[in-house]
Amino acid sequence: MTLIDAGPTGALRIAPSILAADFGALASAVHEIDVETDWLHVDVMDGHFVPNVSIGPPVVQSLRPYSGRFFDCHLMMSQPGRYLQAFKEAGADGCTVHVEVGDTATLIRDARALGLRVGLAANPDTPFEAVAPYLGEIDLLLLMTVFPGFGGQSFMGDVMNKVSEARREVDHNRLLVDIEVDGGIDTRTAPLAVHAGANVLVAGSAIFSRPAPLEAARALREAARSEL
Ligand code: DX5
Ligand code: ZN
């Protein structure tokens, strides 16, 4: 399987979340926004870690031939370790696991051993201290700006303090770690997140629920750039 490069760590990245796309026409939805897509964010929900069910490896595999972008898989799962290999084989480039599920060091090691880019996610009420010990071992820190489970929720501005804290720590220690935010990101909130120190912006509704997704993705990038 060819590896798709994530690009330079720390650079601004727009990561449309397919959760808000029409699952019956995923390939064309993804194709339509391709030129404004840096990473494609794939939200995986197991109905246990979060109260919703979405998609799994078969959808990643089906979508893979239709996109040359980095597949950023966000595993909202209680037992992500059971599925890392399946995601890798399906065509995932990176997998992000939640710190709340525990067994973090093992999950990071297993994901790394599979050749995945490794992400660690924290819910809005999980303190920075919970992820801080792993910063030297991961490629991506995902700080949720909504409680995971559903698209279309409101951005939680309070999380920006944690984003700033993470950015300070990453820069201070010269770590090669991307800081991603996910939930309620739109042209109003993207600049706030970038200002606080995020460089990967996930957006579902603000892109796919708009009448013109490509223009919406472009507008999001412009709004984010204004804070650089
Ligand atoms: C939330 C997911 C998000 C979500 C973002 O559980 O992890 O990726 O799809 O959706 P919006 O952008 O609509 O908040
Ligand atoms: Zn997500």
Side-chain angles (χ1 to χ4, degrees):
M1 177 103 38
T2 348
L3 275 179
I4 296 173
D5 188 23
T9 303
L12 177 66
R13 302 252 167 271
I14 303 296
S17 162
I18 61 170
L19 187 66
D22 175 358
F23 282 177
L26 260 190
S28 58
V30 162
H31 178 72
E32 190 185 343
I33 54 148
D34 185 66
V35 295
E36 289 295 335
T37 302
D38 298 310
W39 294 358
L40 202 63
H41 188 78
V42 179
D43 281 311
V44 179
M45 304 179 177
D46 68 351
H48 189 260
F49 179 68
V50 288
N52 198 5
V53 174
S54 60
I55 55 173
V59 174
V60 171
Q61 187 172 1
S62 299
L63 204 50
R64 189 67 278 185
Y66 295 95
S67 172
R69 302 294 172 182
F70 181 90
F71 277 13
D72 170 38
C73 297
H74 176 193
L75 308 187
M76 289 165 271
M77 313 178 85
S78 299
Q79 302 274 358
R82 291 187 184 172
Y83 305 95
L84 288 171
Q85 186 165 357
F87 277 103
K88 172 68 184 173
E89 285 170 2
D93 299 298
C95 280
T96 296
V97 298
H98 271 262
V99 71
E100 295 84 7
V101 304
D103 223 4
T104 304
T106 306
L107 288 168
I108 291 172
R109 194 196 57 215
D110 291 355
R112 183 76 67 203
L114 285 164
L116 289 159
R117 204 168 186 271
V118 183
L120 185 63
N123 282 342
D125 60 354
T126 297
F128 176 65
E129 289 67 37
V131 292
Y134 305 103
L135 281 183
E137 295 156 48
I138 59 176
D139 305 302
L140 170 96
L141 178 65
L142 166 53
L143 297 174
M144 293 301 301
T145 40
V146 298
F147 281 98
F150 301 91
Q153 304 182 75
S154 299
F155 177 79
M156 297 171 70
D158 291 356
V159 177
M160 293 308 98
N161 292 332
K162 190 164 47 175
V163 171
S164 303
E165 203 176 349
R167 174 51 66 197
R168 274 197 302 276
E169 196 67 15
V170 164
D171 289 355
H172 180 75
N173 295 301
R174 300 191 185 172
L175 299 171
L176 285 174
V177 176
D178 286 301
I179 300 179
E180 180 176 57
V181 285
D182 182 6
I185 300 295
D186 58 21
T187 51
R188 184 186 67 81
T189 58
L192 304 175
V194 171
H195 182 76
N199 70 285
V200 185
L201 305 176
V202 175
S205 326
I207 294 176
F208 288 111
S209 305
R210 296 292 155 87
L214 180 63
E215 280 68 36
R218 199 166 281 151
L220 192 63
R221 189 185 299 280
E222 285 311 310
R225 269 198 191 134
S226 69
E227 272 303 321
L228 288 179

